[in-house]
Every structure is written in C-alpha cells, then in structure tokens.
Amino acid sequence: MAKSLLPYGKQWIDKDDVRGVVRTLQSDFITQGPRIEEFERRIADFCGARYAVAYSSGTAALHAASYAIDLGQGDEAITSPISFIGTANAIVFQRARPVFADIELDTVNLDPSEVEKRITSRTKAIFAVDFAGHPAPLRELKRIAKAKGLYVVEDAAHALGAKYHGRRVGALSDISIFSFHPVKHITTGEGGMALTNNAKLCRRLRLFRNHGMVRSDELSEKHGPWYYAMEDLGYNYRVSDIQCALGLSQFRKVERFLRLRRKLAASYLKKLKGVSGIILPKEKMGIESSYHLFVIQLKTALKAQRRILFEEMRRRGIGVNVHYIPIHLQPYYIKNFAYKAGDYPNAELYYSRALTLPLFPAMRERDVDQVVQVLVKSLAGLRSA
Ligand SMILES: Cc1ncc(COP(=O)(O)O)c(C=O)c1O
C-alpha cells in the first residue's frame, strides 16, 4: 500500500466552517435552535421546494419518507439494486417489501420499462436514485407513478445541485432526500434532509423526526403550557444546531463545489477519451450531473480483471472504490426476500465491471493527471498479463 492514498471522496472544511461552528457552540442553542430552520430554508430555496426537514442522516430522511407516505406491511416499493443499502433498507424499516427493478447500463439509473414490469396491486411507491449525481429518468417514472397512483421518493443523496431539464432536483418528486455525509457535495458531518411541496407529507416528515410528538396552542390551552402529545411512534432523528451551522457555512460554497466537481469530471472525460478498454460516464440530453462520483466501467474483455486493476491502482496510491454491490445480493436480502444471482442482469453486469475514480472539490488538476496516468499504466499491465 502506498504511503498516502488519494481518496475517492473527501470533505472541504475551511476557516469559515470552523468559525460558524464555534459561534454556534458559544450560543444559547447547540440543538433545537435557529440554525436548523435556517439551513432547511437555504436548501429548500436552492432547490425550489416549499418545505424541508433536516435529519441526523440521509438514511433517517429516507426512513422518514417511507413513514410519510405511509408505507407499511403488505406494501411494496420499487427501487434500484445499485444504490447504497440505505435506500432499500428504508423500505424494509417500515416492514414493506423492497422490489428491485433493473437499471440502464449507461446512466446506472432505474430503467422505467423494468419498473413498469414490477408493478403489482401492492406497489405503493417508486424509490428512484440519482446515481452518481445523474438524475433518474423522472419524467418517465412520474408518468408511470401517476398512471398507477404511486408516490415517487427520490434518493438524491448524490445529486444536490444536479439539474433535470433546467430544474434543480429536490422539488421534482413527492419527496426528495439528500445526505450531508463528508463525501457528499456539502457536509454536516452526518446529516440529511427531506424536501417536499406537500404540506401533509411535510407534517408527517416533521412528526417522525421527533418521537411523533406534537405541541400546539390548542393542546397548551387545554392541558397546560408544558403539554405535548405523542400522536404516533417516531424516532429521535434530529440534527443539531452545531451540524447545521456547518451546513450553512458549507452551503455558501455549494456553487463553487459544484463548479469544481464538473470541471474535474470534464477533465477526466477529456483525458480518458480514446483510452481503450473502458466506458466513460455520460450525461443524457437535458441533464446536468452534480458528479458526486466518477464511475468508469471496464469493457467485457477486461471485466474479469477488475480486481487486479483495483488492487494495482490502490498499490499505486489511487483510492479507487466500487459503488455499489447490488443490494439484492446482500446476504440479508437473499435470506429475507429470496433474491438470487441472475435476478437483475444489468445491475450484476455493471457491478462486475465498475470502478470509481477519485473525485472531490479539493482535488487538483495534477491529481487528475496522476489518476489517469496510473489507470492507463495499470490497464496496459492487464493487457499484457
Ligand atoms: C444513494 C444514497 N442513499 C442514501 C445514503 C445514506 O445517507 P447517510 O450516509 O447520510 O445516511 C447514501 C450515503 O451514502 C447514499 O449514497
């Protein structure tokens, strides 16, 4: 292993971030204070959404979305097998059945025609994933959802700032969620958010975050000013003011971060054009990816050597990664939902040949050059092996 590894993703924290957090630490509220609403408002406005609810993680936001649409036992929700496990887990948390639909190989997003095939009388929602920052085919998915009376929950954890036919993701589905994990576009350490334009869904999103508790003038008048009522079973999924202070300061840099990610991706695309044996990511018409990840796929002749390539690049100091292992092939999903190898051929083919190259805003052009150089050298090694 090389001494220092260029990671596949990394946060960018500067003096303003530190100052913002310290100021909040010295204020009256370190949690349940004003920074939370302020952060929610910023993200909602940025995405053009009416409401936003911040959580302790993106997974908590996904769980809250499942609750808000009243997903429960006996229901099914269709989602992508190529995502972080949290997407499908959020369906299982509510005791519903996660039904996977295969992906399109070019964008690694849900294939709408595969989604259509999986709809039954039990289907309640489609959980779309904006893989690597490229929005899912939302028009097609929403058309299917509308015809069948389904909700669309968009896991936009990879896609803060991405554009779909001119509009930012975040307000295009019934509920959209973001994650603020350090490798994402902006960070709160851990954190997430759910956005919606629907007041009823928003009320449930808020209820779920705080133990299902409500306070109101009416309740205070009737029972006393201390009174709260637990309306439903909720969780403590709250985020702190300390985290939101970091989020607010990070948000001031979001446009810069997005510009840098797109510039680095353009640089990869230019420098890797013509390199044989690999398939480069593409943006479909009308899409502006926010490039959370830069994933290449090996051509069929080389896919059996992906592991050798991975280990060779790691040895040479490049923190390549693989996003993701198909969820239906995780032991838990095989055991509990009887999925098996061969169920989703595109997802499995994609998994066998995918390789994530480093991409984060603080990367320099010379880092891109180094990744390209190591990749090209390692690929040449494979061919002659
Ligand atoms: C697509 C996707 N969905 C959900 C999550 C969960 O977010 P968090 O780590 O904030 O819980 C992640 C984060 O890795 C993700 O990449």
Side-chain angles (χ1 to χ4, degrees), residues 1-48:
M1 182 81 72
K3 259 194 222 104
S4 72
L5 196 71
L6 183 71
Y8 87 84
K10 196 184 170 188
Q11 72 277 14
W12 172 323
I13 301 288
D14 63 19
K15 279 189 196 140
D16 290 335
D17 296 315
V18 175
R19 227 176 279 134
V21 170
V22 169
R23 223 178 286 132
T24 295
L25 280 169
Q26 292 167 333
S27 75
D28 288 339
F29 291 98
I30 58 172
T31 193
Q32 294 179 278
R35 295 284 88 82
I36 298 168
E37 219 178 298
E38 198 183 334
F39 185 44
E40 289 171 341
R41 199 63 264 149
R42 286 282 143 75
I43 300 289
D45 289 348
F46 179 68
C47 298

Side-chain angles (χ1 to χ4, degrees), residues 57-59 62 83-84 87 129 155 157-158 179 184 191 324:
S57 70
T59 305
L62 277 166
S83 183
F84 180 62
T87 318
V129 179
D155 182 341
H158 293 186
S179 161
K184 300 299 193 303
Y324 293 97

Side-chain angles (χ1 to χ4, degrees), residues 275-290:
V275 172
S276 67
I278 61 171
I279 303 162
L280 297 172
K282 281 190 197 80
E283 285 175 312
K284 282 204 168 170
M285 280 274 288
I287 298 295
E288 206 176 295
S289 172
S290 55

Side-chain angles (χ1 to χ4, degrees), residues 201-262:
L201 291 177
C202 176
R203 185 178 186 278
R204 285 177 67 80
L205 287 169
R206 286 195 193 287
L207 193 67
F208 199 64
R209 175 175 65 175
N210 196 20
H211 306 279
M213 278 164 52
V214 284
R215 292 176 193 273
S216 69
D217 292 345
E218 204 183 320
L219 287 170
S220 290
E221 203 157 302
K222 191 165 170 198
H223 300 280
W226 61 85
Y227 197 81
Y228 56 83
M230 185 184 139
E231 242 181 46
D232 207 352
L233 187 64
Y235 288 70
N236 177 354
Y237 275 162
R238 296 188 306 259
V239 68
S240 70
D241 277 58
I242 305 167
Q243 289 166 293
C244 290
L246 178 56
L248 279 163
S249 147
Q250 286 269 299
F251 178 74
R252 278 179 218 118
K253 298 183 269 283
V254 71
E255 299 279 11
R256 177 150 58 105
F257 288 168
L258 285 165
R259 243 191 340 268
L260 287 167
R261 281 183 180 275
R262 287 187 59 79

Side-chain angles (χ1 to χ4, degrees), residues 27-171:
S27 75
D28 288 339
F29 291 98
I30 58 172
T31 193
Q32 294 179 278
R35 295 284 88 82
I36 298 168
E37 219 178 298
E38 198 183 334
F39 185 44
E40 289 171 341
R41 199 63 264 149
R42 286 282 143 75
I43 300 289
D45 289 348
F46 179 68
C47 298
R50 214 169 285 159
Y51 310 105
V53 185
Y55 294 90
S56 50
S57 70
T59 305
L62 277 166
H63 187 185
S66 289
Y67 168 82
I69 62 167
D70 204 18
L71 202 59
Q73 193 138 25
D75 292 333
E76 294 175 355
I78 300 173
T79 191
S80 171
I82 300 294
S83 183
F84 180 62
I85 45 178
T87 318
N89 288 353
I91 296 164
V92 183
F93 291 157
Q94 288 300 104
R95 309 199 182 288
R97 182 179 175 83
V99 174
F100 298 103
D102 213 347
I103 56 159
E104 297 176 327
L105 274 172
D106 53 356
T107 61
V108 197
N109 279 325
L110 273 175
D111 178 339
S113 65
E114 291 295 318
V115 169
E116 229 159 0
K117 284 188 213 159
R118 303 280 169 180
I119 292 173
T120 70
S121 58
R122 292 166 179 252
T123 310
K124 192 160 197 176
I126 301 167
F127 279 54
V129 179
D130 300 330
F131 184 81
H134 187 299
L138 296 170
R139 277 185 189 161
E140 292 83 352
L141 294 175
K142 283 164 76 174
R143 184 184 48 74
I144 295 167
K146 194 169 173 203
K148 303 281 180 181
L150 313 176
Y151 287 104
V152 176
V153 173
E154 187 179 343
D155 182 341
H158 293 186
L160 183 67
K163 286 190 183 155
Y164 185 80
H165 298 281
R167 294 171 65 196
R168 280 198 202 285
V169 304

